[in-house]
Amino acid sequence: QVQLVESGGRLVQAGGSLRLSCTASGRTLNGYVMGWFRQPPGKEREFVAAITVSYGGGTSYAESVKGRFIVSRDVPKKSVYLQMNSLEPEDTAVYYCAAASGVADETSTPGTYDYWGRGTQVTVSS
């Protein structure tokens, strides 16, 4: 069993930066793929970024955040991070962290993730 807790969300002005954190309790995350998803107001949940937790693991990003967001991990701390730069009002959403086991790559499909956090609110003002 894995419990995930997100933190770092807050109100920020457009053009600003935020770093979200996701920390796991329970078993090690080594071998998992960790994903970040978001749900804008009135919209469906969408993929943001993913990273394979093992050393040397790859990353993937949604087109809308490429070049602005960076996903990283700290294996000993059982944590993953989402550095968000050049934030836009369209980035306003609840951001969720998720963990997937037994997948071969950095999947963007929500249904492949086994564990989810409760989310953290990010609001970008114009």
Side-chain angles (χ1 to χ4, degrees):
Q1 192 78 328
V2 175
Q3 294 81 40
L4 303 173
V5 178
E6 305 94 337
S7 62
R10 62 176 176 86
L11 173 65
V12 64
Q13 286 191 331
S17 297
L18 276 179
R19 189 175 87 148
L20 304 183
S21 300
C22 172
T23 301
S25 59
R27 60 155 291 163
T28 176
L29 294 180
N30 208 12
Y32 277 75
V33 169
M34 299 297 295
W36 284 99
F37 292 79
R38 67 187 182 186
Q39 188 163 15
K43 297 184 179 180
E44 293 187 354
R45 192 171 298 190
E46 62 186 28
F47 172 73
V48 176
I51 185 168
T52 297
V53 175
S54 303
Y55 289 110
T59 59
S60 67
Y61 296 92
E63 286 298 323
S64 60
V65 306
K66 273 184 181 177
R68 300 189 298 125
F69 291 10
I70 301 171
V71 61
S72 61
R73 76 305 203 207
D74 187 323
V75 177
K77 291 185 177 179
K78 295 195 290 185
S79 295
V80 292
Y81 308 99
L82 186 67
Q83 177 66 41
M84 305 187 294
N85 302 316
S86 301
L87 283 161
E88 305 166 352
E90 293 73 24
D91 295 315
T92 294
V94 178
Y95 283 72
Y96 298 90
C97 172
S101 62
V103 294
D105 55 18
E106 299 76 41
T107 176
S108 61
T109 305
T112 60
Y113 287 81
D114 306 297
Y115 305 101
W116 291 81
R118 292 190 173 185
T120 185
Q121 176 71 48
V122 172
T123 303
V124 184
S125 64
S126 57

